[in-house]
Amino acid sequence: MWADLLPLGRDKSSGGYRRYAWTAADADCRAWFRAQAEARGLTYELDRNGNQWAWQGDPLAGDAVVIGSHLDSVPDGGAFDGPLGVVSSFAALDELRRRGAEFTRPVAVTNFGDEEGARFGLACVGSRLAAGQLTPQKAYELRDGDGITLPQAMEAAGHDPSTLGPDPERLARIGAFVELHVEQGRALDLTGNPVGLASAIWPHGRWRYDFHGEANHAGTTRLADRRDPMVTYAETVLAARAQAEFTGALATFGKVSVEPNGVNAIPSLVRGWLDSRAADQDTLDEVVAGIEAAAQQAAARAGIDLRIVRESFTPVVEFAHALRDELARLLGPGIPVLGTGAGHDAGILSASVPTAMLFVRNPTGVSHSPAEYAAEDDCVAGVLALADVTEGLACA
């Protein structure tokens, strides 16, 4: 499975993946998922929001155990986030069949669409729509960098966007969702464990900063006469780093667009996107407020008009304690329990169904990069852990 999936959406120049939602690479990944489902005799479904499902047992029976993750990527992302979760889910199902497990609850493997938000700027679109956390109206307004709307992209890929919306009947049939994911840090490497159990997801959000200045000639405009939004943006980036260090939070400006984007032109507009995360809500509020205040002060000094828009926000997610405790029992004593600053579909769905997460050791701690890595032995350990958990939840 891994060998078949590996070349899909891979960029030859960077070695990373560009599996953006509703593109040709995404279609290839979806075709791979369907082929895996059909090869196992599983019931395949594509839901109203473009999420894929492969069912062992009756999809309508209820109290299902769902495992899976996503197949899309960030720009030039790594091979493991989140395909490892999908591949491991099919492999775990294979392992249970090898064991001769008798299923008492239906089991589904899923691929949630557009988890990374790389194309339309909003993470976890598929699961947000299903859970009613993203309205169809807001979804219709999402645009990519070329101005293509989400409905247009879906239509081009052969999916009807008129079906987008909450899917409470489907979610009501789920008794538990367990998502396996490569760790996006080095906690397991430091403890020496191949697999860990998630405790919570930090609160996090994305904010867009629009710095409006005045375009002018780079070679003839005196420094004193400039209203250069790039300088104010740069001051804000440095302020974000300082605020993060002061509060113990994380703050990153990782995306920027410039107009008119000419090498010999002072920009008229610099638009930057802030990603900020913290272990608790009070700390997140503090770091975000500090960055906003610093940006406003810098803008006022330079005569720059500033607009700040919160584009997404996810509060702290405490995974269902009863399910987490049951997984800890099934995995045995000594399983490490750790928090994460990364968002996941499991976090979105936690408001609707009991969810849990398993992490597989990442010895480099690198994620969202071609250098992302997990050793084969650790991946196998993750499959066996997921199989054990699924067997304990769904089998006699």
Side-chain angles (χ1 to χ4, degrees), residues 8 17 45 71-72 85 104 149 189 191 195-196 225 229 274 279 338 358:
L8 304 183
Y17 290 86
E45 288 185 315
L71 293 174
D72 65 312
T104 57
T149 65
D189 185 56
T191 65
V195 179
D225 296 334
L274 169 68
L338 49 141
L358 299 177

Side-chain angles (χ1 to χ4, degrees), residues 33 45 47 51-55 66-71 82 85-87 89-90 107-113 170 174 177-179 345 349:
F33 182 96
E45 288 185 315
D47 71 20
N51 305 310
Q52 293 180 290
W53 303 78
W55 290 90
V66 178
I67 53 180
S69 191
H70 64 95
L71 293 174
V86 179
V87 172
S89 295
F90 281 120
V107 174
V109 177
T110 188
N111 166 37
F112 282 104
R170 179 177 297 274
I174 301 175
F177 173 52
V178 181
E179 181 175 4
D345 291 311
L349 295 178

Side-chain angles (χ1 to χ4, degrees), residues 55-302:
W55 290 90
Q56 162 82 41
D58 182 2
L60 301 178
D63 201 28
V65 176
V66 178
I67 53 180
S69 191
H70 64 95
L71 293 174
D72 65 312
S73 77
V74 298
D76 291 324
F80 294 83
D81 175 10
L84 180 63
V86 179
V87 172
S88 297
S89 295
F90 281 120
L93 192 56
D94 293 344
E95 168 66 13
L96 291 181
R97 288 177 167 184
R98 186 194 66 78
R99 295 177 185 178
E102 297 182 9
F103 295 91
T104 57
R105 300 165 67 179
V107 174
V109 177
T110 188
N111 166 37
F112 282 104
D114 200 4
E115 193 270 357
E116 296 289 8
R119 183 173 183 185
F120 298 102
L122 179 64
C124 301
V125 170
S127 56
R128 285 183 192 273
L129 282 165
Q133 297 181 26
L134 173 64
T135 66
Q137 292 74 22
K138 290 293 184 182
Y140 297 155
E141 296 171 2
L142 295 175
R143 294 178 180 270
D144 67 11
D146 296 321
I148 298 172
T149 65
L150 175 60
Q152 290 171 334
M154 294 179 73
E155 285 182 336
H159 189 81
D160 182 5
S162 68
T163 64
L164 293 180
D167 204 350
E169 293 181 358
R170 179 177 297 274
L171 296 186
R173 298 199 301 267
I174 301 175
F177 173 52
V178 181
E179 181 175 4
L180 179 144
H181 204 281
V182 67
E183 189 193 359
Q184 295 170 287
R186 289 189 59 224
L188 291 175
D189 185 56
L190 296 174
T191 65
N193 296 89
V195 179
L197 181 62
S199 59
I201 297 176
W202 290 6
H204 57 278
R206 296 177 181 180
W207 290 260
R208 192 187 77 233
Y209 280 60
D210 296 344
F211 299 89
H212 293 270
E214 181 179 37
N216 217 325
H217 197 296
T220 62
T221 309
R222 296 189 318 150
L223 295 180
D225 296 334
R226 299 185 180 199
R227 293 178 55 231
D228 186 349
M230 184 64 78
V231 175
T232 307
Y233 169 69
E235 291 185 61
T236 304
V237 173
L238 295 175
R241 178 58 178 263
Q243 285 291 324
E245 291 178 340
F246 177 72
T247 58
L250 299 171
T252 307
F253 277 95
K255 178 180 177 181
V256 62
S257 68
V258 182
E259 296 178 12
N261 205 28
V263 69
N264 60 346
I266 298 166
S268 60
L269 169 65
V270 174
R271 179 169 284 143
W273 281 263
L274 169 68
D275 178 298
S276 189
R277 307 162 191 244
D280 58 78
Q281 188 61 53
D282 288 345
T283 304
L284 181 62
D285 291 342
E286 181 180 357
V287 69
V288 170
I291 296 167
E292 181 174 334
Q296 290 173 337
Q297 292 168 9
R301 289 194 303 268

